[in-house]
Structure formats: C-alpha cells, structure tokens
Amino acid sequence: MKQQSMNLNIRYDLPNEIWETVIPVIYESMEGWLGFENDGIAYWFSVDKTKKHIWTSVEPSGLLFVGMMKDDEWKQWKLKIKKIATQKLGFKVGEIELGEVDS
C-alpha cells in the first residue's frame, strides 16, 4: 500500500443543498464507506491512517481525497467515484491536474 491522493473539480462553493443531499449519496455509494466522524471529515475503510483508508477534505481547489491503498484498488475506486459523481451532479467530474476536465 502507498499514499494516494486526487483533487476533483467539485467546488467548495456549490450550493449547500448539493453538499447536504447529493454529496452524501455519492459518498455512501462507494465501497468502504464509514461515515462522517466527529471532525466532519468523511472516511472510507478506516479512520486509522496507518491502515487502508480514504478521507476527504473540501478545499478551495476542489474536493481532495487522500488515502492509503494499493495502486490497482485506488485506480478502480477513483474511476467509480468520478463516474457516480458525474451522474449525480450533472457535470463531468474529474481531476483538473490530469486534464480530465476544464478548470
């Protein structure tokens, strides 16, 4: 396993309704979903950052996902969340840094 990260073009300034209703549905649809911890951060697989895990943070640059997984697992997890988020949000969700979407 190794450290992984991605920054999706899901902007911090989307309407509250999206953050409160749509984003949780996207999160819950993903393998390993644990929920929101007391710090308000979403977690998958484990909150123990020495084990397989993913957590997310809303940043000015987009929705940041950080975790520790095997490369092949991470690649599949990323593909799935991008696909689901694109369907639920109604716009192409991807990583600006990789040229998947416009800024």
Side-chain angles (χ1 to χ4, degrees), residues 23-87:
I23 299 297
V25 169
I26 295 167
Y27 288 173
E28 291 167 8
S29 69
M30 294 302 298
E31 177 189 358
W33 173 243
L34 296 176
F36 294 96
E37 292 299 312
N38 293 337
D39 54 9
I41 295 175
Y43 286 91
W44 292 262
F45 302 106
S46 178
V47 297
D48 181 345
K49 293 182 180 168
T50 65
K51 298 179 180 178
K52 176 180 168 180
H53 72 277
I54 299 173
W55 58 269
T56 190
S57 176
V58 180
E59 304 294 335
S61 59
L63 188 56
L64 175 67
F65 290 81
V66 178
M68 186 175 0
M69 295 177 86
K70 294 178 183 176
D71 286 338
D72 57 336
E73 275 187 294
W74 179 246
K75 182 179 177 183
Q76 292 305 310
W77 202 90
K78 284 180 20 167
L79 288 171
K80 183 176 179 183
I81 198 164
K82 290 174 190 178
K83 180 181 178 182
I84 292 170
T86 296
Q87 292 169 343

Side-chain angles (χ1 to χ4, degrees), residues 85-98:
T86 296
Q87 292 169 343
K88 298 288 184 191
L89 293 169
F91 61 84
K92 172 86 171 131
V93 173
E95 296 174 80
I96 296 169
E97 295 85 354
L98 298 181

